[in-house]
Amino acid sequence: MQPYCVFCNIVAGREPGNIVYQDDEIIVIQNILRWFPIMLLAMTKKHTTQAELWANHIGHVGQVAAEIGRQLCPGGYRLVSNFGYDGMQSQEHGHVHILGGTFLGHYAG
C-alpha cells in the first residue's frame, strides 16, 4: 500500500484542490501557500518521485508549466523544483513550482 500523498488524493478527487489545468497525464494545481500572487504546482497525475519526474517526465511537465507561466505571468515567472530536505522538498510526489505575478527578486529565498 502506498503511503499517504495529498497530491495523489487531489488527482483522485478524494481531497479538494483548485485545478488550473489538466490533461491525461499532467495536472496543475494552486499551491495552498500564498507567498506570491501566482503559486502553482505542476506534476504528473501518476505518483513519481522528484528524480523520476526529472528523468522521465520533465519534458511534458516543463512544457505545460512554461505555457501556464506565460499565460498567467506576462511580466515573467520562475519554475523551481526542490530536491530533498535541504532543498526544502515538502512532498514526495514530484512537482515543479510555477511562481510569479510580481517581481520575485534577484535570488531565491
Side-chain angles (χ1 to χ4, degrees):
M1 187 165 142
Q2 185 174 342
Y4 171 79
C5 174
V6 67
F7 296 158
C8 288
N9 283 339
I10 291 170
V11 168
R14 291 188 295 266
E15 292 193 34
N18 185 3
I19 299 171
V20 175
Y21 169 90
Q22 65 179 321
D23 62 25
D24 291 340
E25 300 172 11
I26 308 299
I27 188 167
V28 178
I29 61 173
Q30 189 169 34
N31 196 327
I32 61 169
L33 301 175
R34 298 286 191 265
W35 299 336
F36 304 108
I38 303 293
M39 288 188 68
L40 305 173
L41 304 169
M43 67 196 77
T44 58
K45 288 182 173 180
K46 179 180 180 258
H47 188 92
T48 60
T49 66
Q50 202 72 314
E52 290 167 337
L53 171 74
W54 279 84
N56 303 315
H57 307 284
I58 198 59
H60 189 184
V61 173
Q63 184 179 39
V64 168
E67 180 57 31
I68 298 281
R70 279 191 293 276
Q71 290 175 11
L72 299 180
C73 308
Y77 58 94
R78 189 174 289 163
L79 301 180
V80 178
S81 275
N82 303 329
F83 286 79
Y85 178 82
D86 286 349
M88 299 292 292
Q89 182 181 354
S90 62
Q91 300 295 321
E92 175 70 20
H93 194 129
H95 59 283
V96 174
H97 296 259
I98 306 166
L99 308 172
T102 190
F103 180 69
L104 297 173
H106 297 288
Y107 302 99

